[in-house]
Amino acid sequence: MLSRRGLLATAALLPLPWSLARPARAAGPSFRVGSLPFGTVSWEAAVIKARGLDSANGFTLDVVKLAGNDAARIAFLGGQVDTIVGDLLWAARLGNEGRAIRFFPYSTTEGSLMVPGDSPIRTLADLKGKRLGVAGGPLDKNWLLLKAQARDTVGIDLETQATIAFGAPPLLALKLEQGELDAGLLYWTYCARLEPKGFRRLIGSDDIMRAFGATGSMALIGYLLDDATVKDKGEAVTGFARASKAAKDLLANDPAAWDVVRPLMSADDEATFQALKRDFLAGVPRRPLATERKDGETLFSVMARLGGERLVGAGTTLPAGLYFDGTGNG
């Protein structure tokens, strides 16, 4: 059996995946992007690196692996990374508390309420008395919106008239597969993985947001940038914004671009790969920022009513200058 030193020596001889290797540095300043395990940020970053979109846009992309959402927020607030993909409401809360944050839309794809294909659950009213798993906690925005819609449209209080289990998405998805839950409010990647296994979407977060006044599919997650970073690393920031858009365009129009992404997707079969690919591309933001902001204001107002200060902080509206247009001028 090899000693620990022997194992390390052997490992040093093995080729590293793109995310861990240290390629020759391209011209231009470094731009550090925080990436979560199995997060789609790594998909986009893989395309940027493989196609040289960072060097072509005057910066060097450095991907920083982070353990989870809490670690990502800490790294971002502490300046260990230049950007993470984060929640619009959290960005707004930081802004209203005095920390100037910019939000660059990343995706409009959100979660859905999933049920088995043969489930008798057909409407929100059918959730009465059922076992419902909810990814996140009691202040998760999708959960608050679902509760409100169930109350407003069918007159049921899910908190008291259903059995609610909060938890991590992988665990809830597994329990749904095993029949220990009747329905699950899950993030989109888990929904996409369940569809090829015969599960169906009862209602999507996009549908719920439209019911509360959104005029279209809006980006609730985006790249978060400290305003100081935008000012101090302007060339790298705008270069990254261009590279991000270019990577999404490649993924939408060049099937070969997915060759470097597929190994990162943990897609065990073609159906799962196609479902993940479809939903990722469906979430590419296309709307003008003015429209995004208008719907963002609507959502903020709704969430302030549903979650109060515990969710959105003391602010009454989105902070000025929150949305970033990718040029440093918006």
Side-chain angles (χ1 to χ4, degrees), residues 115-127 130 182-183 200 202:
V115 297
D118 59 357
S119 171
I121 299 174
R122 297 288 171 179
T123 69
L124 289 178
D126 296 330
L127 292 173
K130 298 298 191 294
D182 300 305
R200 58 181 168 84
L202 184 68

Side-chain angles (χ1 to χ4, degrees), residues 144-231:
L144 292 174
L145 288 168
L146 180 67
K147 281 197 305 178
Q149 188 173 24
R151 182 193 63 227
D152 294 349
T153 60
V154 297
I156 65 171
D157 181 351
L158 289 177
E159 279 192 302
T160 60
Q161 294 180 285
T163 301
I164 309 301
F166 298 104
L171 178 61
L172 296 178
L174 178 61
K175 288 186 175 295
L176 189 58
E177 288 188 64
Q178 295 174 337
E180 296 181 36
L181 293 172
D182 300 305
L185 184 62
L186 303 172
Y187 303 147
W188 77 265
T189 51
Y190 297 93
C191 300
R193 294 180 190 282
L194 285 171
E195 277 191 322
K197 299 177 181 179
F199 289 78
R200 58 181 168 84
R201 299 170 193 250
L202 184 68
I203 186 171
S205 297
D206 190 61
D207 301 316
I208 301 174
M209 287 185 287
R210 288 173 189 265
F212 281 100
T215 60
S217 299
M218 62 180 294
L220 291 180
I221 58 172
Y223 283 112
L224 307 188
L225 297 155
D226 200 298
D227 194 55
T229 302
V230 175
K231 294 174 180 176

Side-chain angles (χ1 to χ4, degrees), residues 283-328:
V284 175
R286 302 292 185 193
R287 304 195 304 170
L289 285 189
T291 305
E292 285 289 327
R293 173 150 192 129
K294 183 178 179 181
D295 278 351
E297 293 281 10
T298 299
L299 176 71
F300 188 90
S301 177
V302 171
M303 299 313 297
R305 173 170 61 86
L306 298 178
E309 190 170 335
R310 290 178 61 202
L311 178 64
V312 301
T316 58
T317 186
L318 295 179
L322 176 63
Y323 284 87
F324 178 67
D325 69 356
T327 68

Side-chain angles (χ1 to χ4, degrees), residues 37-55:
F38 308 113
T40 60
V41 171
S42 66
W43 304 1
E44 188 170 289
V47 176
I48 290 174
K49 297 299 290 185
R51 298 297 181 94
L53 297 175
D54 53 349
S55 57

